Amino acid sequence: MTDRTSISQRAIAVAPSATLAITNKAAQLRAEGKPVIGFGAGEPDFPTPAAIVEAAVVAARNPSSHRYSPAAGLPALRDAVATKTMRDSSYDVRPDQVVITNGGKQAVYLACQVLLDPGDEVLLPAPYWVTYPEAVALAGGVTVPIMTDESTNFTVTVEQLDAAVTDRTKMLIFVSPSNPTGAVYTKEQIADVAGWAAARGIWVMTDEIYEHLVYGDAVFHSMPTVAPEIADRCVVVNGVAKTYAMTGWRVGWLIGPIEAAKGATRIQSHLSSNVNNIAQAAALEAVTGSLDAAHEMRLAFDRRRRTMVSMLQSIDGVTCQDPQGAFYAFPNLTGLLGRPLRGKVADTTLDLAAILLDEVNVAIVPGEAFGAPGYARLSFALADDDLVEGLGRIVDLVASR
Ligand SMILES: Cc1ncc(COP(=O)(O)O)c(C=O)c1O
């Protein structure tokens, strides 16, 4: 019999976003007057470039923006995303393969809704971004995490995929550059993973939202370009949030085979109709305009990245690999567990994050949120001074014992 007393099991089972929770907690403590430095947020601290904001202002004054528009996105934006995908990824797609979504997050959700039936298994290399397992679960899928670590620079191997695949495997989730580890797969690694999936008819959702944020020798490669054989089983997720400092505008997209794009459009037509037209006009300016502002921001992130890694590495008990992309460091903090920090002892990285917040007003996201206890994610998308101040507080806390 239906349980009328409670909300749905599906809603109960969804874990709140740990990264948003940390960001909100930090904001709340700040509002109470505490000098909190937050390493939680996955968003650039820069304002959106002026030309993009201006395009939105113009669109807001145009009455055609004040009406519903096609569920799959403004035709001009779908065209522009196809052109941009050729420009940045050398991937030749038609505009009707593109569906504009409310951020990359909704593209992830729709990809899962379109591809998964209840009980389908999804291979998910861990540490993983918090949203993936929830989007899989909301589609009735079953996440099969595959643990990676520093020994492969947090990249998954074909041997690991072989060990995890079953006859229920429908999809693999792939992200490079990676949130939370900053790992960037080489062209050869991408070819291996894509070839493995294509040979078995397994779909890949490849998340390319950090495509323009790579550092040092790392190079971004788009999976369906490196391995065209995966294209008819591949959904690309992308968006303007990270490249153009547009997290609040909520525009992303997915690109897939035509049936997948049509399925996503049908679902979106009932879920949210179209994405806000004014935000779409801003995104159109972003993807058709120059990447100069994005390159400027990348230089700042790179500088902060190097500062963060060297400060983390200077702490006794902390090891940290160089993140090659995105804007996160993912240090191993196991050396700080089980030892006194101002009289308190952290047994887990969850405890450690709480101690850091209480004792030195520093917010980090514990690895537990990403399926990787013992680690933490620290965003370096914050002002240089704040970054140095916040890390300095961690250095001092550990030194004081
Ligand atoms: C890996 C990854 N994919 C997708 C997104 C979604 O970004 P948005 O919904 O802001 O476009 C994020 C945001 O944190 C992300 O880190």
Side-chain angles (χ1 to χ4, degrees):
M1 168 155 172
T2 299
D3 179 2
R4 297 194 180 118
T5 60
S6 82
I7 62 169
S8 74
Q9 294 309 309
R10 188 187 324 105
I12 291 169
V14 179
S17 163
T19 49
L20 290 184
I22 302 274
T23 309
N24 292 342
K25 175 99 196 267
Q28 185 197 327
L29 291 172
R30 227 174 268 128
E32 289 168 12
K34 296 233 168 89
V36 173
I37 307 263
F39 291 104
E43 59 181 346
D45 58 321
F46 301 103
T48 302
I52 298 174
V53 176
E54 205 44 49
V57 171
V58 171
R61 295 208 171 96
N62 182 345
S64 73
S65 303
H66 307 168
R67 308 280 171 252
Y68 291 126
S69 60
L74 293 175
L77 182 55
R78 295 173 80 196
D79 279 356
V81 167
T83 305
K84 168 248 169 287
T85 304
M86 191 60 184
R87 177 193 70 184
D88 297 339
S89 309
S90 310
Y91 184 31
D92 191 6
V93 296
R94 302 201 322 248
D96 57 359
Q97 293 179 258
V98 177
V99 179
I100 308 299
T101 58
N102 285 284
K105 207 174 246 188
Q106 196 191 15
V108 169
Y109 178 86
L110 286 175
C112 292
Q113 292 291 323
V114 165
L115 296 178
L116 300 177
D117 285 310
D120 285 347
E121 291 179 359
V122 177
L123 302 180
L124 178 61
Y128 46 72
W129 180 45
V130 292
T131 289
Y132 298 138
E134 303 301 336
V136 168
L138 285 167
V142 178
T143 294
V144 179
I146 304 176
M147 201 60 208
T148 68
D149 61 21
E150 293 93 332
S151 65
T152 60
N153 197 15
F154 297 108
T155 60
V156 77
T157 63
V158 164
E159 291 71 33
Q160 288 180 299
L161 295 171
D162 267 335
V165 72
T166 73
D167 55 9
R168 306 229 51 173
T169 307
K170 179 79 179 278
M171 179 166 94
L172 162 70
I173 296 180
F174 184 81
V175 53
S176 174
S178 157
N179 173 8
T181 66
V184 177
Y185 285 68
T186 64
K187 196 174 182 180
E188 293 69 30
Q189 287 175 310
I190 295 174
D192 285 350
V193 170
W196 179 89
R200 288 159 184 77
I202 292 170
W203 285 81
V204 180
M205 182 183 82
T206 175
D207 186 337
E208 304 191 340
I209 203 141
Y210 294 102
E211 62 180 332
H212 291 293
L213 293 174
V214 288
Y215 312 105
D217 296 337
V219 181
F220 164 76
H221 294 284
S222 176
M223 183 180 275
T225 305
V226 171
E229 71 270 28
I230 197 70
D232 61 359
R233 291 269 166 91
C234 182
V235 173
V236 177
V237 169
N238 206 334
V240 292
K242 316 288 177 175
T243 303
Y244 304 98
M246 291 180 71
T247 47
W249 296 80
R250 310 310 305 132
V251 184
W253 54 85
L254 62 79
I255 302 173
I258 204 75
E259 283 314 312
K262 280 185 179 166
T265 306
R266 286 197 297 277
I267 296 173
Q268 177 148 281
S269 73
H270 296 292
L271 186 69
S272 54
S273 297
N274 57 277
V275 173
N276 177 322
N277 294 319
I278 295 155
Q280 289 196 70
L284 178 60
E285 173 65 28
V287 298
T288 54
S290 111
L291 280 163
D292 290 352
H295 292 320
E296 286 289 310
M297 289 188 265
R298 194 190 63 84
L299 288 179
F301 293 140
D302 192 14
R303 183 179 66 238
R304 297 166 186 179
R305 172 183 78 104
R306 283 180 274 120
T307 306
M308 177 174 272
V309 170
S310 71
M311 286 186 81
L312 286 169
Q313 284 172 341
S314 76
I315 303 174
D316 174 32
V318 177
T319 58
C320 184
Q321 291 203 334
D322 260 349
Q324 298 166 301
F327 36 58
Y328 311 100
F330 203 69
N332 185 326
L333 303 179
T334 45
L336 298 182
L337 303 181
R339 68 188 231 200
L341 296 164
R342 291 227 179 121
K344 295 183 176 170
V345 174
D347 291 324
T348 64
T349 30
L350 270 177
D351 298 343
L352 184 64
I355 292 174
L356 287 175
L357 199 51
D358 287 347
E359 294 296 322
V360 291
N361 290 307
V362 167
I364 64 170
V365 189
E368 282 82 350
F370 311 102
Y375 299 86
R377 191 190 79 175
L378 282 78
S379 162
F380 49 84
L382 72 170
D384 297 66
D385 290 352
D386 287 346
L387 182 141
V388 171
E389 164 68 22
L391 290 167
R393 292 186 199 171
I394 304 179
V395 171
D396 291 347
L397 174 75
V398 175
S400 73
R401 296 286 159 91

